[in-house]
Amino acid sequence: MPTKKYIIANWKMNLSLAQTISLAKEFKKEFAGFSRGEIAVCPSALFLTEAAAIFKGSAIKLGAQNASWENKGAYTGEISADMLSDVGCRYVILGHSERRKYLFENYEMIHKKVRAVLEIENLTPIVCIGESIEEKKSDRRDFVLVDQLQQALSGIDVFGEQEIIVAYEPIWAIGTGMAIEPAEAEYAHKIIKLALNDMFGMQVNNKNFRIIYGGSINAQNVKGFTNLENMDGLLVGGASLKAEEFYKIAQTITK
């Protein structure tokens, strides 16, 4: 079983160009020589080229926050997976809960985006799933997670070394400063693991899928998430806007 951890920074719609360049340089400095995990940063799409130039030659991989399900054509404002690959992206976040909430993105769209990303060599989708507070309180979390996985991934063939990262991000924990209890995260990741086994088989699941957690992780609470079963890393939002804190998170989770 792989032991490498994936620590993904999602800068969301924050930072000017100057701030992005400054923070990217701080990240490059902090992570010089870091080799214990896979570090990726997802800045604004407008600034991917500048970030790519800074991260070139470093251990930090470039990621995007979204992609179109179309490869080209009359789709004003969209950015294709092929374009993201052209500027050096290795990862792309798909179906983040904020897009599902504010932009009415649904899993039919997310499914098509996953397919489009998997067509591009060396581009890995980070597929987000997670329950709302209402679904949690009504004990529907397990059903919701399995249903979201099936809608996002059913019928998709995974070949060779292709990789899909599933990010479990309980909606009620996003941006609240209130991370889920580690034991709850471990349970949710077990449900996801079992569902992926049913959908793709254990061999493909173990080889091609990774499961990470996202939701109000910071340098203070990350210690509780180390060594959890079926957890391959973290998707970090607000805490990734500070290079030193993000580095502490990465250091802790990869010990």
Side-chain angles (χ1 to χ4, degrees):
M1 291 292 290
T3 57
K4 180 172 69 172
K5 298 293 186 183
Y6 296 73
I7 309 96
I8 316 293
N10 179 12
W11 289 353
K12 306 189 180 184
M13 197 178 72
N14 294 297
L15 309 176
S16 65
L17 174 57
Q19 290 169 331
T20 297
I21 291 171
S22 176
L23 186 56
K25 288 179 177 178
E26 288 182 48
F27 264 62
K28 185 176 181 178
K29 182 178 179 181
E30 287 282 355
F31 285 94
F34 188 90
S35 60
R36 295 205 305 266
E38 179 87 340
I39 306 299
V41 175
C42 303
S44 165
L46 278 175
F47 309 139
L48 284 170
T49 302
E50 287 81 5
I54 294 167
F55 295 145
K56 187 176 181 179
S58 76
I60 301 171
K61 303 296 191 300
L62 187 67
Q65 298 176 21
N66 185 38
S68 172
W69 62 74
E70 297 289 349
N71 189 47
K72 63 179 179 180
Y75 302 100
T76 301
E78 291 295 283
I79 300 172
S80 73
D82 197 36
M83 292 173 178
L84 295 175
S85 178
D86 272 352
V87 298
C89 287
R90 293 289 301 278
Y91 297 92
V92 55
I93 300 169
L94 301 177
H96 193 281
S97 61
E98 290 156 0
R99 295 191 60 83
R100 303 200 307 268
K101 178 179 179 180
Y102 300 120
L103 298 170
F104 306 105
E105 210 169 87
N106 60 44
Y107 278 96
E108 180 182 356
M109 300 174 185
I110 296 164
H111 178 89
K112 292 192 291 184
K113 291 182 178 189
V114 175
R115 285 187 176 277
V117 169
L118 288 175
E119 288 179 1
I120 307 301
E121 190 176 1
N122 295 323
L123 189 61
T124 297
I126 302 166
V127 184
C128 298
I129 65 171
E131 78 282 1
S132 67
I133 189 63
E134 292 80 10
E135 291 161 341
K136 172 181 164 64
K137 287 180 176 178
S138 60
D139 294 323
R140 296 182 65 241
R141 176 181 58 187
D142 296 5
F143 169 80
V144 168
L145 295 182
V146 173
D147 183 58
Q148 289 174 344
L149 282 171
Q150 289 176 341
Q151 289 189 66
L153 301 174
S154 285
I156 288 176
D157 294 319
V158 185
F159 300 103
E161 301 303 315
Q162 282 182 333
E163 197 169 62
I164 297 176
I165 297 174
V166 175
Y168 170 58
E169 42 152 33
I171 296 171
W172 50 270
I174 304 297
T176 63
M178 179 180 63
I180 194 173
E181 288 295 322
E184 272 196 276
E186 186 170 44
Y187 175 80
H189 285 212
K190 182 178 180 180
I191 295 300
I192 294 167
K193 183 81 170 180
L194 291 172
L196 291 173
N197 280 343
D198 288 342
M199 294 170 66
F200 295 95
M202 187 177 296
Q203 185 175 352
V204 171
N205 186 10
N206 289 340
K207 179 183 178 183
N208 302 94
F209 284 86
R210 306 290 177 262
I211 305 170
I212 64 177
Y213 170 75
S216 295
I217 284 289
N218 56 47
Q220 286 69 50
N221 62 29
V222 66
K223 189 174 181 180
F225 291 85
T226 58
N227 301 318
L228 294 186
E229 188 178 0
N230 300 316
M231 198 195 78
D232 300 305
L234 300 168
L235 178 61
V236 185
S240 73
L241 295 172
K242 298 176 181 178
E244 186 178 356
E245 180 166 10
F246 186 76
Y247 180 74
K248 289 178 181 177
I249 291 169
Q251 265 195 321
T252 303
I253 204 69
T254 56
K255 282 183 179 177

